Amino acid sequence: YQVCRYLPKDFRPRVPVGSGWREGRGCMDGVERLPYHVTEILGSDYVIVVEGEKDVEALRAAGFCATTKCGGALKSWEASALQYFRDRDVYVVPDNDEAGVRSAEKTCAALVGVARSVRYAPLCQDMPPKADMSDWLNAGGGDVVEACKAFPEFDVAEVDADFVYETLDADA
């Protein structure tokens, strides 16, 4: 499948069918949603999870293995996608806004017990509101993996009491 970006900012998936494409509501029914650049994840012992393809591409250009989830910050990881994180160190870097933080917390919670280690790494927290990984890199942030390792492993028990999430089973 492909997810096409349109201007003004809009994203629409499409699925190949014969020599054409199936588009529109329901076109992804029954299609396994994969982490972005899943083949690179398979060849790495770590992965940086960020919010959006722009940040993934900025990290890739800087030589890092990175991914994002299909559908944006408010979507949950599909259970079938979690298997690709098994036995890897995962660094989850949120955008500097509430949606980014909540999405990153959900991602961390879903990956605990699947990945070898999970670190919630708010690298952009001291930057202006809505700053993201691309902004951090452009500001001369440096080695992302080393910066992420400075944060402790994620502890599901520390997620605030008002935050409700679904933990996904990677073997489902």
Side-chain angles (χ1 to χ4, degrees):
Y1 67 91
Q2 293 179 336
V3 177
C4 303
R5 181 178 182 157
Y6 297 92
L7 296 175
K9 191 174 181 180
D10 184 28
F11 299 91
R12 296 182 196 164
R14 64 184 192 171
V15 179
V17 177
S19 61
W21 295 93
R22 182 175 70 220
E23 300 180 50
R25 186 176 304 271
C27 75
M28 293 291 289
D29 291 351
V31 176
E32 179 183 4
R33 288 155 178 85
L34 302 171
Y36 190 55
H37 288 293
V38 67
T39 55
E40 292 177 18
I41 296 170
L42 296 175
S44 180
D45 63 349
Y46 78 91
V47 62
I48 302 164
V49 180
V50 291
E51 184 184 327
E53 291 83 356
K54 175 189 81 166
D55 290 340
V56 171
E57 295 306 326
L59 285 163
R60 290 179 68 234
F64 298 102
C65 177
T67 192
T68 190
K69 67 182 150 189
C70 181
L74 300 178
K75 298 290 184 181
S76 296
W77 285 95
E78 293 203 10
S80 62
L82 299 181
Q83 67 183 315
Y84 300 105
F85 298 95
R86 187 173 304 288
D87 300 325
R88 289 175 176 73
D89 296 315
V90 179
Y91 309 107
V92 183
V93 182
D95 285 2
N96 192 21
D97 57 30
E98 188 173 339
V101 169
R102 294 298 187 202
S103 175
E105 289 175 340
K106 283 184 177 185
T107 294
C108 289
L111 291 171
V112 167
V114 176
R116 178 174 41 233
S117 68
V118 179
R119 293 180 193 272
Y120 173 80
L123 298 178
C124 305
Q125 68 185 354
D126 295 327
M127 297 182 76
K130 301 204 179 282
D132 60 21
M133 179 51 60
S134 296
D135 297 321
W136 191 86
L137 289 168
N138 289 336
D143 186 326
V144 180
V145 172
E146 288 306 312
C148 288
K149 286 180 180 178
F151 293 91
E153 287 196 35
F154 183 78
D155 182 355
V156 174
E158 292 181 17
V159 174
D160 70 53
D162 295 330
F163 180 59
V164 178
Y165 60 88
E166 287 184 29
T167 323
L168 298 175
D169 182 350
D171 296 323

